[in-house]
Amino acid sequence: MAVFKVTKCPTDDLSLSNCAITNDNDFPGVKHIQINTGGGQTFVFSIKSHPGVPRSHVGFSLPQRKWAVLSLNQEIGVEPYTADDYLSSIVLEVDYMQKKTVSQEPFNTDEMAQEFVMSFPNQIFTVGQQLAFSFKDKKLLLAIVKELEAANMTAIKEGTTAKAKKVKMGQLMSNTTVQFEKAEASSLNLVGKSKGVQVRQSIINPDWDFQKMGIGGLSNEFNAIFRRAFASRVFPPDIVEQLGCKHVKGILLFGPPGTGKTLMARQIGQMLNAREPKIVNGPQILDKYVGESEANVRRLFAEAEEEQKRAGSNSGLHIIIFDEIDAICKQRGSVAGNTGVHDTVVNQLLSKIDGVEQLNNILVIGMTNRRDMIDEALLRPGRLEVQVEISLPDEEGRVQILNIHTARMRSYKKISSDVDLMKLASQTKNFSGAELEGLVRAAQSTAMNRLIKAASKVEVDPEAMEKLLVTNDDFMHALEHDIKPAFGTAEEILNHYLTRGILNWGPPVTSILEDGNLLAQQARATDGSGLVSVLIEGPPNSGKTALAAQIAKNSEFPFVKVCSPEEMVGFTETAKCLSIRKIFDDAYRSTLSCIVVDNIERLLDYGSIGPRYSNLTLQALLVLLKKEPPPGKKLLVLCTSSRRQVLEDMEMLSAFTTILHVPNLSKTEHLLKVLEASEAFTNSELKQITHHVHGKRIFIGIKKLLALIDMTKQTEERHKVIKLITRLEEDGALEDPGMA
């Protein structure tokens, strides 16, 4: 083995030949040489001769020196080499030699393969070898040999067929199959049949664990999002091209506050092997200067646009998360004023997501509590086409959420064994995920408060701290006093209506309560329409509101809301309609809901002089009373009114499933039953009252009667009976039959 020195390639053309260059007199008739760089490292090169190379020197190009780790003037051992294996196929990984000079011009791999065979005839290639490859007049490429397969010459000589074998080194032949693969993260645009398997990053982060997502009760929703938005991105681009499939570019998550929309979007951003998500609140886009709001939208997409121009289909995924997207994407034409800022922002967003110059490397995730406010053009396929409702969790979902928020307590044994999460989940109907998290926090604070001694200064017993346990009583305390679900029962208002309870003064009351329970069962039934609307009508002060509240309470529906005119004093007609609409919209979010619409004629602004009423509110109520809730949701509506005839004139009665009549007290036994239940009169006084009312006509509402009883309680004992009878006669509740 002769000793030679390393030198540079004498010309640029020879450096592109992938050959080692020797002097004309050094290796006459030799086609390949093997060099020994020391330490047992050997490399094989095909050679060409040139007079510009001094004797006992070998010229190498920069890629060759890089591959064989050679330095100029380094001494190497050189000897002739004869090829044993003839290549049947070669796979090359290619990229731009200079990364700054890139373009989206397509490189036809079929033409590249022909030119490669013609440029490097009969040369020897080794796995891992680097070489410069100039394709036509396009950019200079750096090629790395990835894989070699050689024909089995023994089998060929014997006339049998055999699979090609993988080799470390072999000689390129005129019929060798050449395949090109794009280097990872390269922006090279390869086309044609000689394109090999494309190196690509998985869209799903390899370190991602679906079991640790921390999203409780939303597995069905997440599955729906994954199926629609990410399944196509998991498949290789070749398969997607064959299907002619376009990736989903937008997701809209909508639902009540606190149900996990932001959490879901955050987890999607972490799950995907993509660029850092851009999170923007809707109002941040808006700007007081003309054109700046639209420019803010353009800036969000600028990075994705630049990468798509540079890398084309190989661009990474850019995620843009819009929180409160309804703030900027309201229905066009719905915002008052002549500036039209909202409209142009919507237009700009539409054109960026799916306009003429559409982007394929983006995923827009929008979140809102008010899907109805968003411009419908944004919701069509091609834009925010995957729309998923993140609704209130069911019982199984609540167990998952409670498990997530108590996991750390369990691992450190800070939660008592008497805490049953299954039972707690059944007691927290209509709690959102955020409210369940708040419940756990409230129980923890109650438990911690037990260990605090508030004397002259606040102290904590250090020994007790170690024994701190969150018990079931802490959760019950939090449930009763601290956390009330936004979509739960309006218990305070119902209890206010039922301050005196229900006095069952006769069969009419029993009948109404029984009918109310049957109607609640009808609303709950799975085979029904899902809507039961009831009118509870009767004279003023007959106890209609209390009966409606009792029926609502007996139904045990998780969502009970009261729509009362008291809460809408001073509202404009539009504001009143929106307020009523919101109550019904909230009810549609719960599986079982009950709405009590109290004093319906007051809600309609009815006045007998005129008569006057709000037609806008009337039409809104008529629509909502007849509108069936979404599939799977059940709604019971209980309306009270003292003006049945007025409602009949307004053609409202047809909107109700059933009408229940609440009569006034009309018999002596009815009156005496209420007086006995009040415990305001002795037996002798009750006998006197019976004597006074005997044979007379009675007509009084229970509410009015209870008010009279309260007044007589303040009267002297000996005047109580007289006072009661006198007031009954003065109010027209007690009359002789002949006077009727």
Side-chain angles (χ1 to χ4, degrees):
M1 182 179 288
V3 177
F4 279 65
K5 282 190 175 182
V6 175
T7 186
K8 287 185 178 180
C9 228
T11 68
D12 287 343
D13 287 342
L14 286 173
S15 67
L16 295 175
S17 69
N18 190 40
C19 287
I21 313 301
T22 61
N23 186 277
D24 296 338
N25 301 313
D26 277 339
F27 293 101
V30 175
K31 293 183 178 178
H32 318 292
I33 59 170
Q34 178 175 290
I35 69 167
N36 189 333
T37 60
Q41 290 283 325
T42 59
F43 299 88
V44 175
F45 292 93
S46 297
I47 61 169
K48 283 187 177 181
S49 61
H50 190 275
V53 177
R55 291 205 65 174
S56 298
H57 282 71
V58 182
F60 295 97
S61 66
L62 182 62
Q64 289 172 329
R65 296 202 302 272
K66 193 174 178 183
W67 170 53
V69 195
L70 298 170
S71 56
L72 294 175
N73 294 318
Q74 178 184 339
E75 290 189 347
I76 54 174
V78 182
E79 60 183 345
Y81 181 84
T82 305
D84 293 327
D85 292 313
Y86 299 94
L87 297 178
S88 58
S89 70
I90 179 171
V91 179
L92 297 150
E93 184 181 271
V94 287
D95 195 3
Y96 289 109
M97 181 72 82
Q98 293 178 316
K99 297 292 176 72
K100 291 180 181 177
T101 56
V102 297
S103 75
Q104 266 306 290
E105 192 176 359
F107 284 72
N108 189 313
T109 52
D110 300 326
E111 293 177 7
M112 285 170 69
Q114 286 179 5
E115 191 156 328
F116 188 87
V117 172
M118 290 166 62
S119 301
F120 310 113
N122 302 314
Q123 285 193 22
I124 286 185
F125 289 93
T126 310
V127 173
Q129 183 175 348
Q130 295 184 17
L131 64 143
F133 174 42
S134 178
F135 174 54
K136 294 186 177 177
D137 57 345
K138 299 189 177 181
K139 305 285 188 296
L140 191 62
L141 302 178
L142 173 68
I144 300 172
V145 179
K146 294 292 287 182
E147 194 177 289
L148 298 171
E149 283 189 355
N152 192 324
M153 297 307 292
T154 309
I156 292 170
K157 287 173 184 175
E158 291 174 357
T160 59
T161 57
K163 285 180 70 174
K165 58 179 180 179
K166 287 195 176 181
V167 292
K168 290 283 185 185
M169 190 190 307
Q171 186 174 338
L172 187 75
M173 308 301 290
S174 59
N175 60 349
T176 301
T177 304
V178 183
Q179 271 200 335
F180 293 94
E181 289 182 3
K182 190 181 65 171
E184 188 175 345
S186 168
S187 55
L188 199 64
N189 185 11
L190 297 180
V191 296
K193 294 178 182 177
S194 296
K195 182 173 68 169
V197 178
Q198 196 163 341
V199 178
R200 66 190 189 91
Q201 282 188 320
S202 169
I203 187 71
I204 307 299
N205 192 331
D207 300 325
W208 185 253
D209 183 359
F210 282 90
Q211 301 299 318
K212 297 178 182 175
M213 286 188 70
I215 300 179
L218 296 176
S219 51
N220 290 339
E221 289 83 350
F222 188 79
N223 287 341
I225 292 171
F226 192 88
R227 176 177 60 83
R228 291 292 313 281
F230 305 127
S232 64
R233 295 183 188 272
V234 172
F235 274 82
D238 299 347
I239 304 295
V240 176
E241 274 181 35
Q242 290 167 20
L243 290 170
C245 173
K246 283 187 178 179
H247 298 309
V248 164
K249 288 182 283 187
I251 302 170
L252 180 69
L253 306 177
F254 65 95
T259 49
K261 298 183 294 296
T262 307
L263 175 63
M264 176 80 83
R266 201 181 297 135
Q267 293 288 15
I268 289 169
Q270 290 177 11
M271 177 195 78
L272 296 179
N273 205 1
R275 303 287 181 273
E276 185 71 24
K278 290 181 180 175
I279 301 174
V280 56
N281 290 321
Q284 286 178 347
I285 294 290
L286 302 176
D287 197 287
K288 65 180 179 179
Y289 295 107
V290 175
E292 271 301 303
S293 300
E294 297 88 322
N296 287 339
V297 174
R298 288 195 293 275
R299 285 186 200 107
L300 287 173
F301 292 88
E303 207 174 302
E305 278 182 327
E306 186 273 328
E307 188 170 348
Q308 180 160 305
K309 282 177 185 171
R310 179 167 48 81
S313 60
N314 305 306
S315 167
L317 181 64
H318 293 255
I319 300 173
I320 302 168
I321 298 173
F322 283 95
D323 204 0
E324 306 298 341
I325 195 171
D326 53 282
I328 57 167
C329 292
K330 290 185 173 70
Q331 293 274 357
R332 284 173 287 184
S334 65
V335 181
N338 56 2
T339 59
V341 172
H342 278 89
D343 292 2
T344 53
V345 169
V346 175
N347 293 340
Q348 183 70 77
L349 194 59
L350 293 176
S351 65
K352 283 295 173 192
I353 299 174
D354 189 32
V356 176
E357 294 182 3
Q358 62 181 8
L359 296 168
N360 293 316
N361 60 342
I362 56 161
L363 179 65
V364 176
I365 304 175
M367 291 170 287
T368 180
N369 303 329
R370 298 292 307 275
R371 180 173 174 264
D372 55 297
M373 289 176 66
I374 295 175
D375 193 277
E376 61 186 24
L378 199 65
L379 303 179
R380 72 154 176 77
R383 289 168 183 162
L384 299 184
E385 64 178 278
V386 179
Q387 294 151 36
V388 180
E389 182 176 7
I390 310 297
S391 54
L392 296 168
D394 57 13
E395 193 163 321
E396 186 184 340
R398 293 195 294 275
V399 173
Q400 290 177 16
I401 293 166
L402 288 168
N403 267 316
I404 288 165
H405 294 304
T406 57
R408 184 157 290 190
M409 283 196 286
R410 284 198 305 278
S411 66
Y412 286 99
K413 297 180 179 174
K414 293 293 180 189
I415 190 165
S416 174
S417 58
D418 67 346
V419 177
D420 184 353
L421 296 184
M422 299 284 284
K423 186 178 178 185
L424 198 58
S426 68
Q427 292 173 302
T428 50
K429 290 183 176 70
N430 280 24
F431 273 64
S432 68
E435 285 160 350
L436 288 169
E437 186 183 358
L439 180 72
V440 174
R441 275 202 306 271
Q444 289 166 341
S445 64
T446 306
M448 288 188 283
N449 192 56
R450 284 201 308 270
L451 307 180
I452 296 173
K453 298 174 185 174
S456 56
K457 57 181 180 178
V458 176
E459 294 177 347
V460 181
D461 181 1
E463 290 182 9
M465 283 168 63
E466 293 300 317
K467 298 174 184 175
L468 173 67
L469 275 182
V470 181
T471 65
N472 189 58
D473 289 341
D474 297 325
F475 277 100
M476 290 303 106
H477 184 275
L479 203 55
E480 193 173 335
H481 298 98
D482 298 326
I483 307 295
K484 299 293 178 189
F487 294 90
T489 306
E491 281 189 46
E492 288 182 12
I493 301 174
L494 293 181
N495 290 337
H496 172 69
Y497 288 152
L498 294 167
T499 310
R500 313 273 309 242
I502 296 291
L503 275 172
N504 194 342
W505 48 262
V509 177
T510 309
S511 174
I512 289 166
L513 289 174
E514 285 176 355
D515 287 348
N517 291 339
L518 287 172
L519 290 162
Q521 288 175 30
Q522 182 185 339
R524 193 189 291 267
T526 53
D527 55 350
S529 65
L531 174 67
V532 173
S533 51
V534 185
L535 176 65
I536 302 171
E537 60 83 23
N541 300 315
S542 58
K544 301 178 294 297
T545 304
L547 284 167
Q550 189 63 50
I551 292 168
K553 211 164 186 180
N554 290 347
S555 72
E556 295 184 347
F557 283 10
F559 179 92
V560 179
K561 268 287 187 284
V562 177
C563 178
S564 168
E566 298 165 16
E567 298 165 6
M568 302 184 196
V569 173
F571 277 27
T572 62
E573 280 187 304
T574 308
K576 191 179 285 188
C577 289
L578 288 173
S579 182
I580 297 167
R581 168 76 185 272
K582 185 180 184 306
I583 291 171
F584 276 82
D585 283 347
D586 288 350
Y588 299 147
R589 300 188 193 281
S590 173
T591 313
L592 293 170
S593 306
C594 176
I595 298 173
V596 178
V597 184
D598 190 29
N599 212 346
I600 203 167
E601 66 274 10
R602 289 285 74 78
L603 208 58
L604 296 170
D605 297 331
Y606 171 76
S608 56
I609 300 170
R612 296 173 185 157
Y613 66 93
S614 164
N615 188 48
L616 197 64
T617 314
L618 171 64
Q619 299 307 323
L621 270 172
L622 281 171
V623 169
L624 293 169
L625 285 170
K626 290 182 178 180
K627 182 186 175 185
E628 290 186 6
K633 313 286 185 183
K634 308 293 180 185
L635 178 61
L636 172 66
V637 186
L638 302 170
C639 300
T640 68
S641 174
S642 305
R643 299 273 188 161
R644 174 174 176 152
Q645 187 56 50
V646 169
L647 299 188
E648 192 170 343
D649 293 343
M650 292 177 178
E651 299 181 353
M652 272 197 85
L653 295 188
S654 61
F656 296 102
T657 312
T658 310
I659 298 172
L660 301 178
H661 177 67
V662 183
N664 274 345
L665 283 75
S666 57
K667 294 182 180 178
T668 306
E669 55 265 31
H670 295 164
L671 178 67
L672 292 174
K673 199 160 187 179
V674 176
L675 296 175
E676 282 175 23
S678 70
E679 297 179 353
F681 300 94
T682 62
N683 287 336
S684 61
E685 286 171 337
L686 288 170
K687 285 178 182 176
Q688 289 179 51
I689 294 167
T690 306
H691 175 72
H692 279 290
V693 301
H694 183 69
K696 293 188 176 180
R697 193 175 74 86
I698 297 168
F699 191 77
I700 188 169
I702 181 70
K703 197 173 175 183
K704 187 69 177 285
L705 179 57
L706 290 171
L708 288 177
I709 291 169
D710 286 344
M711 187 185 72
T712 54
K713 283 181 182 177
Q714 315 306 318
T715 313
E716 291 181 28
E717 289 292 327
R718 56 201 178 92
H719 297 308
K720 277 166 68 176
V721 174
I722 300 301
K723 187 70 175 175
L724 178 69
I725 299 300
T726 306
R727 287 311 305 261
L728 285 170
E729 288 174 345
E730 287 175 356
D731 291 343
L734 201 62
E735 295 177 349
D736 290 324
M739 295 173 65

